[in-house]
């Protein structure tokens, strides 16, 4: 086991109606609030109104920035930063899924910083301070509500990259499973796929950490048992709660302690699909993971089988991959390129972009030939 430090400063408020504590929590940071959200789902499902009631009660002065897109782009963060520099908020309140929260994280660094948001993403600016960030999570998937990661896309330079920075842990995150009732079936499934992929990226990482391995398996068992019934019962509080908590624990450090690193090759490929074809993040992963495993079964059959045995009671690495694919199919998550609308004619463009972006794993390195084999497996199984 490697040395490690546990220091996750995010305070999580989990459960029914936790939003009732939002106003008082915000007040501790000040009363100038910059509210950030996406394309309007929070207006349709009533979350916006509850947030505004809380802000009214504390007499907050509020400025809004909306329209953050799924697979968020850095231009929106720059535009928000301009607004923020004029308004000088005491606190940023992000209400949405991973795209909104990730954008708000980079925004929290960009407002007090001289550099553009992309220079921050590229680690060329060295931010020393951030506007405090509070989040209300509305979609269970990414784990961003309790980690120090943000992922943004630059449409000009064709890059989708993550940044990790200690200053962007949210100060508080409010997770009410009721706020995810309105997430449609497809995005609910993509969220389940994403959280499973996060736990798997830890499992296939470098280093031996047996307790963290057990956490990985438990998180995935929770997703495998509760994901399918949830898809037939989208307003089931208990199922929504189990998936929401699993998604948070899948990427807040919990599965990583004692390892050297995670793997992240599958995510790296998934980001290229999102960059080129705007594929929803979780949908990209349910296509790439089985293909990556099919390549890797020649190199690490034992590790793959160990995983499958624990999660699905699989009898071999091959069966593990089939079981995982069947699981994704059972929740209507795509497993082949045609299911996400990407034709065979796109293969050269896709490979080219993967190579240009230096797509690779952190532990298992991928040659250009490996990338091509993975892409073929994504098309043809
Ligand atoms: O834009 P709005 O109106 O909010 O609609 C969103 C969006 O259309 C909608 N939605 C969210 N909550 C809803 C809802 N619709 C109805 N009811 C609700 N309660 O769902 C759509 C997708 O939202 P998005 O935020 O894009 O989804 P997700 O949470 O999956 O975030 C994906 C982004 O996070 C990044 C991904 O790369 C992608 O850009 N990731 C961030 C990570 C992190 N920060 O740790 C790690 C992940 O691996 C991932 O890379
Ligand atoms: Zn992910």
């Amino acid at each position: 086991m490697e040395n490690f430090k546990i220091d996750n400063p995010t305070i999580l408020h989990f459960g029914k109606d936790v939003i009732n504590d939002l106003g008082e929590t915000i007040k501790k940071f000040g009363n100038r609030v910059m509210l950030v959200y996406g394309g309007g789902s929070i207006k349709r499902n009533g979350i916006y109104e509850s947030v505004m009631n809380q802000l009214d009660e504390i007499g907050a002065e509020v400025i809004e920035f909306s329209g953050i897109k799924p697979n968020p782009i850095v231009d929106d963060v720059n535009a928000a930063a301009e607004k923020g520099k004029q308004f000088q908020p005491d606190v940023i309140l992000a209400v949405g899924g991973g795209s909104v929260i990730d954008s708000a994280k980079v925004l929290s660094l960009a407002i007090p910083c001289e550099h553009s948001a992309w220079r921050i993403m590229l680690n060329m600016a060295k931010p020393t301070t951030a506007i405090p960030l509070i989040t209300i999570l509305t979609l269970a998937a990414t784990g961003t509500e309790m980690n120090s990661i943000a992922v943004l896309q630059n449409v000009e330079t064709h890059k989708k990259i993550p940044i990790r920075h200690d200053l962007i842990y949210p100060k508080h995150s409010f997770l009410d499973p009721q706020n995810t009732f309105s997430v449609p079936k497809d995005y609910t499934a993509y969220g389940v796929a994403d959280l499973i992929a996060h736990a798997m990226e830890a499992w296939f990482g470098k280093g031996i950490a047996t307790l963290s391995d057990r956490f990985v398996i438990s998180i995935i068992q929770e997703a495998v048992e509760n994901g399918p019934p949830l898809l037939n019962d989208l307003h089931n509080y208990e199922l929504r709660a189990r998936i929401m908590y699993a998604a948070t624990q899948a990427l807040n450090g919990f599965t990583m302690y004692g390892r050297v690193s995670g793997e992240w090759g599958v995510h790296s490929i998934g980001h290229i699909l999102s960059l080129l074809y705007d594929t929803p993040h979780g949908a990209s992963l349910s296509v790439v993971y089985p293909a990556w495993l099919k390549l890797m079964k020649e190199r690490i059959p034992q590790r793959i089988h160990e995983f499958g045995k624990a999660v699905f009671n699989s009898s071999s690495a091959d069966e593990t991959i089939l079981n995982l694919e069947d699981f994704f199919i059972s929740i209507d998550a795509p497993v082949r390129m045609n299911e996400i609308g990407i034709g065979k004619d796109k293969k050269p463009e896709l490979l080219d972009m993967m190579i240009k972006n230096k797509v690779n794993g952190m532990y298992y390195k991928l040659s250009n030939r490996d990338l091509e084999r993975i892409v073929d497996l994504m098309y043809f199984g």
Side-chain angles (χ1 to χ4, degrees):
M1 193 168 14
E2 297 298 311
N3 292 3
F4 61 91
K5 185 165 93 180
I6 298 184
D7 179 11
N8 188 319
T10 301
I11 298 171
L12 207 74
H13 306 243
F14 190 100
K16 228 171 242 182
D17 303 326
V18 286
I19 201 171
N20 293 335
D21 296 331
L22 179 69
E24 287 306 314
T25 306
I26 287 182
K27 226 162 89 178
K28 292 178 193 150
F29 296 89
N31 86 327
R32 295 174 72 77
V33 180
M34 182 160 186
L35 173 64
V36 181
Y37 56 97
S41 66
I42 65 164
K43 291 207 166 155
R44 292 187 292 276
N45 58 22
I47 299 173
Y48 178 85
E49 204 185 327
S50 317
V51 168
M52 281 314 195
N53 288 342
Q54 287 286 313
L55 294 174
D56 281 351
E57 265 175 37
I58 59 163
E61 208 177 315
V62 183
I63 188 178
E64 295 189 16
F65 188 92
S66 62
I68 299 292
K69 302 165 193 61
N71 293 323
I73 58 171
V74 72
D75 296 346
D76 284 340
V77 177
N78 282 327
E82 233 169 82
K83 228 174 162 178
K85 279 177 200 285
Q86 281 166 22
F87 179 69
Q88 291 295 315
D90 298 318
V91 56
I92 295 172
L93 176 60
V95 187
S99 297
V100 168
I101 294 176
D102 285 5
S103 301
K105 283 177 166 179
V106 182
L107 175 64
S108 74
L109 294 174
I111 292 175
C113 178
E114 309 253 291
H115 297 272
S116 71
W118 196 246
R119 280 178 70 83
I120 293 172
M121 292 301 292
L122 293 173
N123 284 317
M124 291 165 76
K126 301 280 173 219
T128 52
T129 177
I131 309 287
L133 170 66
I134 294 179
T135 82
I136 298 177
L137 183 70
T138 64
L139 194 163
T142 62
T144 187
E145 63 276 11
M146 201 181 186
N147 71 33
S148 58
I149 306 166
V151 187
L152 286 184
Q153 189 165 311
N154 185 322
V155 280
E156 277 117 52
T157 61
H158 301 295
K159 295 257 184 304
K160 180 169 187 182
I161 55 170
I163 182 177
R164 195 181 275 271
H165 200 294
D166 278 349
L167 289 172
I168 60 178
Y169 278 104
K171 297 282 184 228
H172 292 259
S173 282
F174 290 80
L175 275 60
D176 183 339
Q178 297 172 116
N179 286 342
T180 65
F181 282 175
S182 56
V183 176
K185 207 169 167 176
D186 53 358
Y187 270 103
T188 302
Y190 304 155
V192 171
D194 192 21
L195 88 86
I196 289 176
H198 294 159
M200 290 178 73
E201 300 281 25
W203 176 269
F204 290 109
K206 187 174 180 183
I208 297 166
T210 51
L211 183 56
S212 289
D213 276 357
R214 286 173 200 263
F215 292 152
V216 162
I217 298 302
S218 302
I219 288 167
I220 296 180
Q221 283 169 334
E222 192 77 351
V224 166
E225 281 168 29
N226 295 294
L230 170 59
L231 288 164
N232 296 316
D233 194 4
L234 294 174
H235 286 244
N236 184 314
Y237 178 85
E238 188 59 28
L239 295 174
R240 284 288 191 189
R242 290 178 192 176
I243 293 297
M244 198 172 204
Y245 183 41
T248 301
Q249 293 292 40
L251 195 56
N252 66 356
F254 184 58
T255 62
M256 280 305 303
Y257 303 125
R259 303 185 200 281
V260 180
S261 75
E263 166 43 36
W264 300 107
V266 168
H267 267 71
S268 175
I269 298 170
H271 289 335
I272 303 294
L273 293 179
S274 299
L275 181 68
L276 285 173
Y277 312 113
D278 211 20
T279 308
H281 176 63
S284 75
L285 302 173
S286 58
V287 173
V288 183
Y289 235 119
W292 183 88
L293 289 168
K294 284 171 196 168
L295 178 83
M296 285 299 158
K297 76 177 180 188
E298 293 158 14
R299 300 176 198 176
I300 47 166
Q302 195 55 37
R303 187 69 177 155
I304 294 174
H305 179 206
E306 215 182 306
F307 169 80
K309 192 168 173 224
V311 176
F312 301 113
N313 202 21
S314 320
S315 60
S316 64
D318 280 303
E319 199 178 302
T320 301
I321 300 167
L322 280 180
N323 290 149
L324 181 70
E325 236 175 44
D326 284 348
F327 173 74
F328 285 146
I329 292 167
S330 79
I331 58 170
D332 284 336
V335 292
R336 293 289 181 274
M337 295 289 262
N338 65 331
E339 295 166 45
I340 48 175
I342 305 172
K344 289 175 213 141
D345 56 314
K346 302 287 187 210
K347 179 180 157 182
E349 169 185 79
L350 175 57
L351 262 178
D352 188 49
M353 192 58 85
M354 283 161 76
I355 292 165
K356 265 194 200 134
N357 278 274
K358 299 189 174 61
V359 160
N360 221 323
M362 286 176 81
Y363 186 23
Y364 299 109
K365 295 298 172 194
L366 301 167
S367 66
N368 290 355
R369 175 73 194 118
D370 290 338
L371 293 179
E372 185 169 7
R373 284 183 67 197
I374 292 175
V375 169
D376 285 338
L377 290 161
M378 284 154 56
Y379 276 110
F380 308 111

